Amino acid sequence: MTTACMYLRLSREDGDSMESNSISNQRQIIQTYAKVNGLKIAYEYVDDGYSGSNFERPDFKKMIQDLEEGKFSTIIVKDLSRFGRDYIESGKYLQKIFPEKGVRFISVNDSYDSENADMSDTHLILPIRNFINDSYCRDISMKVKSAKDVKRKNGEFIGAFAPFGYKKSVADKHQLVVDEEVSHIIKRIFQMKIEAYSSKAIADFLNNIGATTPAKHKENKGKKHATGFIIKDGKWDAKMINRIIENKVYTGVLEQGKTMKLNYKSKKEIDVHEDDWVVIDDAHEEIISKSTFALANKMLARDLQTSKDKPSLFAGMLYCADCGSALVRRTVKTKKGVNIYYICSNYNRTGDCSRHSIKEDEIKLQVKDSLNHYLERYRNVLEKISRLDLKDITINADFSSLENEKAKYERLRRSLYLDLEDELITSEEFERYRRNYLFKIKQIKEQITTKQEVVKELEKRLKDKESFISSVIPSKDLDEVTRAMLITFIDKVEVLEDRQINFVFNNIDTVNLLEKLADKNKATNAKKLAKPISLHQAYSKIDPTPRYGSVGGGM
């Protein structure tokens, strides 16, 4: 009696409800056929839940391995689609590999038996049926892809597992709701990043207090699966912290369609360009605000130290005005006590720049005075805007002053090569000047981009005046500058060699423009409000560098 094996397969696409293709039904059909035809079924291989579009299936591989070892010489399947739906790969096995090895292949429902099949069955009918099965697989893939696209555009979450901090709603599995068990961990991560803790320091803190990791949380819920968060020792690490901080899902934004399969036959995924992602705002409840997200990501982009100590008030905020490098904190113990000061990290590391030394107490004093002055401007402009009707205002942007400033530094940079050739400057001076000019050009480019974004956002927000009036601004001067106030209203603090301090304020472009708009709208005639305002006018008296001003100081 011929020793045979049966191969059974059911994919997720086929579904458990399709009784004609169920595993038990396939087994019964093959056993009946074997009994009638005098075949002994010695082995059974089952791939339950695996697609037929490829042959990367565990039991199929085991079957081929056992075949190589000579355990059987006959393979029986219910029909060709159970064997595989890949037209090319199926044909390779049935028309080349199996015949060369003397393997008998039987497809019961297709009435095909390679032992007595004629040429037309093997080389004409069989390929046609394989092609039909392949086409069916492609058609199913396209329908599934189309259905997923519709769900994404409707703001429905289609991931297998909810992001850490969320869970799927019991009422609607496509809706994310806050997971109160772990959402406090997300809030703590963002808060610590704003306070200037490094990602490693945050991870160490979470490990020390025994905070649940994303992988452990899913495991506790009985969801065993592969996840990008799993690491060898099951602890938090810096990469996990960074992924959470960069994920907009925590602000209520649903970003999907970031990757796609190469084709319906391949499991390989390729990245989709960000412009083609499906992004839905306010798709679910936020865990952290958009402003907190922006501040945390600003700190993430800066080179924060990995010290275990609590970060200083100015961590990630102080920069050299000449070379753009961060200032480093230094502590000097004297008989009178401890002096804390900052110097340029580039000078400290390589000596290329100058010292730019300044005491911490002096920075604190100047920060408080300048921040209070800026907040007073902010309060005044909000009060003016509250009295105006700005619904019909449009803004015409003119960036010629900034473009001219950028062109000036580009000319200076080009002239360096002539000066070097004429030996008017040394190679060291050439490199130093070149870096400084490139730094200035980069700054101006960023200013142009920022102001373009300001115009777009301002035109949008001017339609809803309350969005400005509701801005969270302290109602009185600050007695003490906290980390939260510092990072909320100041982007960075730049220190010059002569200990002058430049403050780069957040939203300074918006404040400058609003002040100009308010002055232009003092007239009560409502028709005049529709007249376009040139952004160039708003910035005509402002230095191209986005600073509120400079204040002096000494040691």
Side-chain angles (χ1 to χ4, degrees):
M1 182 177 289
T2 302
T3 302
C5 80
M6 69 168 73
Y7 178 72
L8 319 174
R9 184 189 66 80
L10 180 68
S11 69
R12 295 184 181 92
E13 289 81 3
D14 292 320
D16 293 337
S17 61
M18 296 182 65
E19 179 58 30
S20 61
N21 286 332
S22 70
I23 296 297
S24 60
N25 184 261
Q26 293 178 50
R27 183 182 294 111
Q28 184 178 1
I29 291 174
I30 293 174
Q31 287 175 340
T32 301
Y33 178 89
K35 185 177 180 179
V36 172
N37 291 273
L39 300 172
K40 178 185 177 183
I41 304 295
Y43 300 93
E44 177 181 296
Y45 303 93
V46 181
D47 281 318
D48 195 355
Y50 289 87
S51 172
S53 60
N54 62 74
F55 288 87
E56 293 299 316
R57 312 172 219 146
D59 255 31
F60 181 86
K61 290 181 177 180
K62 188 175 186 304
M63 179 181 72
I64 297 300
Q65 182 181 345
D66 290 348
L67 180 65
E68 297 280 357
E69 295 174 1
K71 293 183 178 181
F72 53 83
S73 59
T74 300
I75 298 175
I76 309 176
V77 296
K78 179 204 163 202
D79 57 51
L80 289 172
S81 67
R82 298 305 94 199
F83 181 74
R85 294 188 184 277
D86 187 310
Y87 167 66
I88 297 175
E89 286 297 310
S90 294
K92 183 175 72 174
Y93 276 105
L94 300 181
Q95 294 179 272
K96 182 179 180 181
I97 297 177
F98 289 167
E100 288 178 354
K101 295 183 178 296
V103 177
R104 181 182 179 186
F105 182 82
I106 300 172
S107 176
V108 178
N109 283 2
D110 294 306
S111 300
Y112 176 81
D113 185 343
S114 62
E115 189 175 61
N116 51 39
D118 57 24
M119 189 68 69
S120 64
D121 285 340
T122 302
H123 296 285
L124 181 60
I125 305 300
L126 203 62
I128 290 175
R129 286 177 175 170
N130 281 332
F131 180 76
I132 292 172
N133 289 330
D134 189 288
S135 298
Y136 171 80
C137 190
R138 182 177 62 251
D139 184 55
I140 288 294
S141 176
M142 292 176 63
K143 288 179 179 178
V144 170
K145 182 178 181 296
S146 177
K148 286 183 176 181
D149 287 341
V150 171
K151 289 182 181 295
R152 291 190 188 105
K153 292 176 181 178
N154 288 336
E156 298 180 45
F157 178 74
I158 62 171
F161 301 95
F164 183 65
Y166 288 97
K167 59 184 179 181
K168 293 183 180 181
S169 170
V170 176
D172 181 3
K173 67 178 181 179
H174 297 299
Q175 179 65 41
L176 295 178
V177 294
V178 175
D179 187 344
E180 300 295 345
E181 290 185 30
V182 293
S183 60
H184 65 280
I185 299 177
I186 300 297
K187 295 176 182 177
R188 190 60 179 268
I189 289 172
F190 276 89
Q191 185 58 41
M192 290 185 71
K193 178 53 68 175
I194 287 176
E195 292 172 1
Y197 283 92
S198 69
S199 296
K200 183 180 183 304
I202 297 173
D204 291 341
F205 170 79
L206 294 178
N207 288 326
N208 290 336
I209 66 173
T212 303
T213 63
K216 187 65 177 177
H217 182 58
K218 290 189 175 78
E219 183 181 331
N220 292 340
K221 296 296 180 181
K223 301 173 181 177
K224 295 182 180 180
H225 67 290
T227 170
F229 280 113
I230 288 181
I231 52 178
K232 290 181 179 180
D233 56 2
K235 293 183 177 295
W236 288 93
D237 66 6
K239 186 179 292 186
M240 296 164 69
I241 300 299
N242 293 346
R243 285 180 60 184
I244 287 175
I245 292 174
E246 293 173 338
N247 197 340
K248 291 182 180 179
V249 71
Y250 300 112
T251 66
V253 176
L254 192 57
E255 295 178 326
Q256 299 188 104
K258 295 182 179 181
T259 61
M260 63 180 294
K261 286 188 177 181
L262 193 59
N263 55 55
Y264 71 99
K265 292 184 180 182
S266 173
K267 289 185 177 181
K268 182 180 179 180
E269 291 192 339
I270 57 176
D271 292 331
V272 174
H273 192 278
E274 189 172 350
D275 293 341
D276 296 321
W277 293 356
V278 179
V279 181
I280 305 296
D281 293 326
D282 301 319
H284 50 266
E285 182 182 351
E286 66 180 31
I287 293 179
I288 56 102
S289 66
K290 289 180 174 62
S291 59
T292 299
F293 179 86
L295 293 175
N297 275 271
K298 182 170 72 175
M299 288 295 103
L300 180 63
R302 298 183 178 180
D303 186 17
L304 302 175
Q305 298 299 317
T306 58
S307 172
K308 295 181 179 179
D309 298 331
K310 180 177 175 63
S312 67
L313 174 65
F314 298 113
M317 299 294 290
L318 302 180
Y319 290 86
C320 173
D322 292 322
C323 72
S325 300
L327 299 191
V328 292
R329 193 171 188 253
R330 292 289 179 262
T331 301
V332 177
K333 293 182 179 180
T334 65
K335 293 181 179 179
K336 295 181 179 180
V338 177
N339 286 330
I340 300 174
Y341 65 97
Y342 291 85
I343 61 173
C344 173
S345 61
N346 188 26
Y347 167 82
N348 184 63
R349 185 176 62 255
T350 66
D352 285 347
C353 194
S354 54
R355 190 174 175 82
H356 290 79
S357 176
I358 188 169
K359 285 186 176 180
E360 185 177 66
D361 288 340
E362 184 177 351
I363 300 175
K364 287 182 179 179
L365 179 62
Q366 301 300 341
V367 165
K368 187 179 77 169
D369 291 344
S370 295
L371 183 54
N372 279 330
H373 190 183
Y374 173 69
L375 293 176
E376 183 180 0
R377 285 184 63 194
Y378 213 144
R379 286 192 292 267
N380 289 339
V381 75
L382 289 178
E383 183 180 354
K384 291 178 182 179
I385 292 298
S386 68
R387 298 195 296 265
L388 300 178
D389 182 7
L390 305 175
K391 293 181 179 179
D392 296 324
I393 281 187
T394 57
I395 304 171
N396 293 328
D398 183 352
F399 298 96
S400 58
S401 61
L402 283 173
E403 294 289 354
N404 291 336
E405 190 75 8
K406 180 165 72 74
K408 180 185 75 174
Y409 283 112
E410 287 175 339
R411 286 195 302 272
L412 287 171
R413 182 175 64 87
R414 289 193 295 270
S415 69
L416 284 175
Y417 295 93
L418 296 176
D419 290 351
L420 180 64
E421 185 178 345
D422 294 339
E423 298 184 351
L424 298 176
I425 57 176
T426 64
S427 298
E428 290 77 13
E429 289 175 325
F430 170 83
E431 283 298 325
R432 185 168 68 252
Y433 288 135
R434 188 182 68 86
R435 284 196 300 269
N436 287 340
Y437 290 149
L438 287 174
F439 174 65
K440 294 293 184 183
I441 293 170
K442 179 183 177 183
Q443 270 191 325
I444 296 173
K445 286 180 178 179
E446 290 175 351
Q447 293 164 32
I448 292 174
T449 300
T450 298
K451 289 176 181 178
Q452 287 172 338
E453 293 173 352
V454 167
V455 171
K456 292 179 181 179
E457 181 66 17
L458 205 51
E459 287 183 333
K460 177 182 177 182
R461 293 180 65 190
L462 282 174
K463 297 177 182 179
D464 181 12
K465 186 170 60 179
E466 296 303 320
S467 65
F468 286 110
I469 312 309
S470 62
S471 298
V472 182
I473 305 295
S475 59
K476 60 180 182 180
D477 286 352
L478 304 173
D479 295 326
E480 181 182 3
V481 177
T482 64
R483 176 72 183 182
M485 294 301 297
L486 177 70
I487 194 173
T488 299
F489 294 103
I490 297 181
D491 178 43
K492 58 184 175 180
V493 179
E494 297 177 338
V495 179
L496 286 80
E497 176 56 33
D498 59 1
R499 294 188 291 280
Q500 292 286 316
I501 302 176
N502 291 328
F503 294 94
V504 182
F505 290 101
N506 293 325
N507 300 325
I508 186 64
D509 294 327
T510 300
V511 173
N512 287 331
L513 187 54
L514 287 175
E515 286 179 335
K516 195 66 179 180
L517 291 176
D519 291 341
K520 287 287 183 179
N521 283 274
K522 287 182 179 179
T524 57
N525 190 338
K527 292 184 179 180
K528 292 182 180 180
L529 297 178
K531 183 179 179 181
I533 302 298
S534 170
L535 186 63
H536 178 65
Q537 296 172 345
Y539 294 114
S540 60
K541 297 182 180 180
I542 300 172
D543 184 80
T545 307
R547 297 162 183 153
Y548 171 72
S550 301
V551 294
M555 290 183 65

